[in-house]
Amino acid sequence: MSTKVGFSILAALMLSSLGASVGHAQQSDIGFFVTSAGPGKGGDLGGIAGADQLCQLLGATAGAGTKTWHAYLSTQGPGAVDARDRIGKGPWKNAKGIIVANDVAELHGKNNISKQTALTEKGEPVNGRGDTPNMHDILTGSQPDGTAFPAGEDRTCGNWTKSGQGSAMVGHHDRQGLRDDDASKSWNSSHPSRGPDGGCSQNDLKSTGGNGLFYCFATK
């Protein structure tokens, strides 16, 4: 599909943010957020460029449109991209001014990402485990260190172009899961998506506790 996110989706997101524009005017130092919504097509984000486009739009609604925003997503295969290499050097603050990580090493080590700090561009929390509906599965397509998976078994829903057969690695923004292990507590690499439609549809993502959301970082 086209790498452009649908105009109607972008327009709706822009309109939904206008009511809070005064608060966002004070958030120019924001450098990290979870998207308040995705394109609505499961793992099909319009490719990594489409995901970046949505990050840029939402960053603008938060009063930080002059910054360059990238989605924290990896790709696979020829020219594979590592999520960790496309988000700048940090530090990154959320919409409330709280630092979630000072640099790339801390982000992939002992960071400050939790349900309380992984806020949307509007400064709002994202539903986690125990909430209805649960939306803690955040798309990353990445290994714990922020690098891409080897080519072969799909972990990026066809490099973010598929909404049917495939799979995407997700993380838990609330650091909670079904077990008390590192994977369940991982913000960026908990488990692959799955579901009756093949693994990459919006319904598939919802079935395991997601909503097609992803992380956005200001590169500088």
Side-chain angles (χ1 to χ4, degrees), residues 29-45:
D29 63 344
I30 184 176
F32 161 84
F33 60 84
V34 179
T35 57
S36 57
K41 296 183 178 181
D44 182 355
L45 307 177

Side-chain angles (χ1 to χ4, degrees), residues 110-123:
K110 283 194 171 184
N111 63 47
N112 189 33
I113 292 177
S114 67
K115 184 181 178 183
Q116 290 71 39
T117 62
L119 307 176
T120 70
E121 75 284 353
K122 302 176 183 180

Side-chain angles (χ1 to χ4, degrees), residues 1-201:
M1 71 171 267
S2 166
T3 58
K4 293 185 177 297
V5 180
F7 175 78
S8 60
I9 297 173
L10 299 185
L13 288 167
M14 291 180 74
L15 288 173
S16 70
S17 68
L18 290 179
S21 60
V22 175
H24 290 157
Q26 300 174 353
Q27 296 176 10
S28 60
D29 63 344
I30 184 176
F32 161 84
F33 60 84
V34 179
T35 57
S36 57
K41 296 183 178 181
D44 182 355
L45 307 177
I48 204 165
D52 286 348
Q53 221 175 22
L54 184 55
C55 285
Q56 194 68 43
L57 170 78
L58 297 179
T61 68
T66 59
K67 297 183 178 183
T68 300
W69 291 89
H70 281 173
Y72 183 91
L73 298 171
S74 294
T75 64
Q76 295 175 271
V81 173
D82 296 333
R84 65 180 291 137
D85 292 340
R86 59 190 326 270
I87 58 172
K89 297 180 179 180
W92 300 281
K93 295 180 181 180
N94 68 11
K96 301 296 186 183
I98 298 171
I99 294 177
V100 296
N102 284 293
D103 52 38
V104 173
E106 185 174 272
L107 179 65
H108 296 92
K110 283 194 171 184
N111 63 47
N112 189 33
I113 292 177
S114 67
K115 184 181 178 183
Q116 290 71 39
T117 62
L119 307 176
T120 70
E121 75 284 353
K122 302 176 183 180
E124 298 173 347
V126 177
N127 280 10
R129 191 162 184 260
D131 296 326
T132 304
N134 180 14
M135 298 190 295
H136 74 169
D137 283 357
I138 309 297
L139 299 171
T140 71
S142 303
Q143 300 185 86
D145 64 354
T147 58
F149 283 91
E153 194 168 5
D154 188 14
R155 287 293 178 265
T156 60
C157 285
N159 288 335
W160 314 111
T161 64
K162 292 183 178 179
S163 58
Q165 291 292 328
S167 181
M169 180 58 67
V170 303
H172 293 162
H173 83 288
D174 59 357
R175 318 302 282 265
Q176 295 186 45
L178 297 176
R179 298 174 302 278
D180 185 20
D181 59 11
D182 290 342
S184 296
K185 297 176 182 178
S186 175
W187 70 280
N188 69 339
S189 197
S190 291
H191 60 82
S193 64
R194 57 190 180 275
D197 295 334
C200 287
S201 74

